[in-house]
Amino acid sequence: MTDLTRTDAVRRHDPAVRGFASDNYAGVHPEVLAAITLANGGHQISYGEDDYTAHLQDVFRRHFGDKAEAYPVFNGTGANVVALQALLPRWGAVVCADTAHIHVDEGGAPEKMGGIKLHTVSTPDGKLTPELLDRQAFGFGDEHRAQPLAVSITQSTELGTLYTIDEIRAVVDHAHQLGMLVHMDGSRLANAAASLGQPMRAFTTDLGVDVLSFGGTKNGLLLGEVVVVLNPERVRNIKYLRKTSMQLASKMRFVSVQFEALLAGDLYLRNAGHANAMASRLEAAVRKIDGVEVVRPVQANAVFAILPREVSERLQKRYRFYFWNEHTGEVRWMCSYDTTEADIDAFAAAIAEEMGRA
Ligand SMILES: Cc1ncc(COP(=O)(O)O)c(C=O)c1O
């Protein structure tokens, strides 16, 4: 009898070591691993014709309405590039905040893989408004300007802030009035749902968002994101774009079953709500430390702070985290579904110690 737990692999990391660099430093949630095991064994048709991906359509429709179509992909950059291509003709451009992941953290993938021009707007808090959108939504019909035919907003944002429902409605309505389509980067949509205390459709489908990149990896999955078409009349051909963008998984059942584990019950909210709560705990702790300034509203699972650079550099020898802005010395601390209260307390104590305030 084969021992199903045996492996020649050797554990090469210390699971007690925690960091605050990214919410994808965490491992896989045990319920998600259990789901992968459940889907293992036997043969299933490849490339998304499997029973798990078929069922996933129901799961997504329950959350996002009867018209929603779910297309699992490997990663968030891929989800964004596939979704944006579906919104645009070859001469199209996307308006986004200059802090948007598609602009600063995707290595130029929208431009390189999608041939998409990004028109960026500077924002105080990572959020577009109708007025900010207008700064780039011009030149319609001018062949010299890449046509701003779509807008991309991120919920929760790259700066750890949240759009209210009214704020999203205002951007979506304005974009639609201008004839633009709306993409939402929902890499942390569950964090937004947990923080707003609203069902996810309340700030996506119900407001007229056309296509969504729905995140899983940052919320306890091994890997996987889903392009969710919310407006199938206007957003077509995702399946061809997914394949030609190298985002079509052959063993898709293992991506799909993870999303079932996340969304069939409340795991998505438990994980995201916990990560958010840990960020609030960290914020409260560091606000008590003289010389540490929390510089952005903490509305999801990120804390942004400014402290003396040499202190950050010493701290980085003890905990992983990134400088968000090398120029100002602003740092970003991310919390995950598996960050514990003890992790936060130990990290806050380390900050206090390095600040000489312990
Ligand atoms: C706002 C946002 N969108 C998308 C992604 C997904 O990126 P990846 O391609 O690393 O999965 C991330 C990850 O950091 C993100 O923060």
Side-chain angles (χ1 to χ4, degrees):
M1 173 93 175
T2 319
D3 173 4
L4 296 179
T5 59
R6 87 159 290 285
T7 175
D8 289 330
V10 174
R11 180 165 249 167
R12 297 180 197 281
H13 77 291
D14 176 356
V17 170
R18 299 304 179 89
F20 294 87
S22 173
D23 31 7
N24 57 30
Y25 271 43
V28 186
H29 191 280
E31 292 178 38
V32 175
L33 265 187
I36 294 171
T37 305
L38 188 83
N40 200 16
H43 288 195
Q44 280 268 287
I45 308 174
S46 51
Y47 297 112
E49 299 285 311
D50 62 273
D51 294 334
Y52 295 94
T53 307
H55 177 67
L56 197 65
Q57 303 306 315
D58 294 338
V59 173
F60 270 86
R61 284 194 194 112
R62 218 157 14 85
H63 285 283
F64 293 101
D66 288 345
K67 289 204 252 165
E69 297 169 5
Y71 296 87
V73 295
F74 289 113
N75 57 38
T77 300
N80 288 339
V81 172
V82 169
L84 293 175
Q85 286 178 89
L87 298 186
L88 294 172
R90 294 197 60 194
W91 49 91
V94 176
V95 179
C96 63
D98 62 2
T99 45
H101 197 265
I102 55 172
H103 178 52
V104 290
D105 272 318
E106 297 188 355
E111 293 91 336
K112 184 178 176 197
M113 305 304 294
I116 295 168
K117 165 88 177 163
L118 302 177
H119 291 310
T120 62
V121 184
S122 161
T123 75
D125 50 12
K127 300 195 283 185
L128 289 179
T129 61
E131 296 69 34
L132 290 173
L133 178 54
D134 279 342
R135 296 204 184 156
Q136 287 287 15
F138 64 87
F140 295 101
D142 174 358
E143 75 215 64
H144 301 285
R145 179 161 167 78
Q147 293 293 288
L149 298 175
V151 55
S152 179
I153 57 178
T154 307
Q155 175 77 327
S156 55
T157 74
E158 291 80 358
L159 298 181
T161 53
L162 270 183
Y163 285 89
T164 64
I165 288 181
D166 286 342
E167 286 169 339
I168 295 174
R169 181 183 292 112
V171 173
V172 172
D173 288 352
H174 192 59
H176 284 167
Q177 275 156 22
L178 293 168
M180 302 169 75
L181 293 172
V182 180
H183 166 250
M184 182 179 281
D185 180 343
S187 156
R188 298 188 182 87
L189 203 79
N191 299 85
S195 191
L196 289 171
Q198 293 289 334
M200 294 187 287
R201 65 171 293 158
F203 51 98
T204 54
T205 321
D206 293 352
L207 303 180
V209 172
D210 296 290
V211 66
L212 167 72
S213 301
F214 181 73
T217 314
K218 294 176 195 311
N219 203 20
L221 264 53
L222 191 156
L223 66 81
E225 317 277 305
V226 175
V227 176
V228 192
V229 173
L230 302 175
N231 178 359
E233 282 91 51
R234 300 293 302 274
V235 184
R236 299 206 184 95
N237 300 322
I238 295 281
K239 67 176 186 170
Y240 306 112
L241 293 166
R242 178 176 59 178
K243 175 67 182 181
T244 54
S245 302
M246 296 158 281
Q247 286 288 323
L248 180 65
S250 54
K251 293 192 181 178
M252 198 181 293
R253 65 171 139 156
F254 298 107
V255 182
S256 298
V257 77
Q258 295 179 72
F259 280 98
E260 183 179 345
L262 197 67
L263 292 171
D266 66 352
L267 183 61
Y268 72 108
L269 281 181
R270 278 188 275 135
N271 281 356
H274 177 80
N276 293 352
M278 291 304 99
S280 299
R281 186 180 181 93
L282 181 57
E283 177 193 15
V286 300
R287 278 196 188 280
K288 293 190 198 125
I289 306 172
D290 255 5
V292 179
E293 194 195 348
V294 175
V295 289
R296 304 187 186 277
V298 178
Q299 297 176 327
N301 63 329
V303 177
F304 288 80
I306 293 185
L307 56 165
R309 178 177 294 272
E310 62 283 5
V311 172
S312 293
E313 284 169 356
R314 280 201 305 274
L315 259 177
Q316 281 178 322
K317 297 201 171 83
R318 299 170 66 177
Y319 289 89
R320 291 292 299 239
F321 61 88
Y322 294 116
F323 278 95
W324 180 256
N325 183 328
E326 288 288 345
H327 180 65
T328 61
E330 182 176 352
V331 296
R332 182 186 81 160
W333 296 320
M334 299 299 301
C335 297
S336 311
Y337 76 87
D338 70 343
T339 305
T340 64
E341 292 186 354
D343 292 334
I344 298 292
D345 297 348
F347 184 48
I351 299 170
E353 201 178 297
E354 297 297 350
M355 290 289 293
R357 305 278 192 269

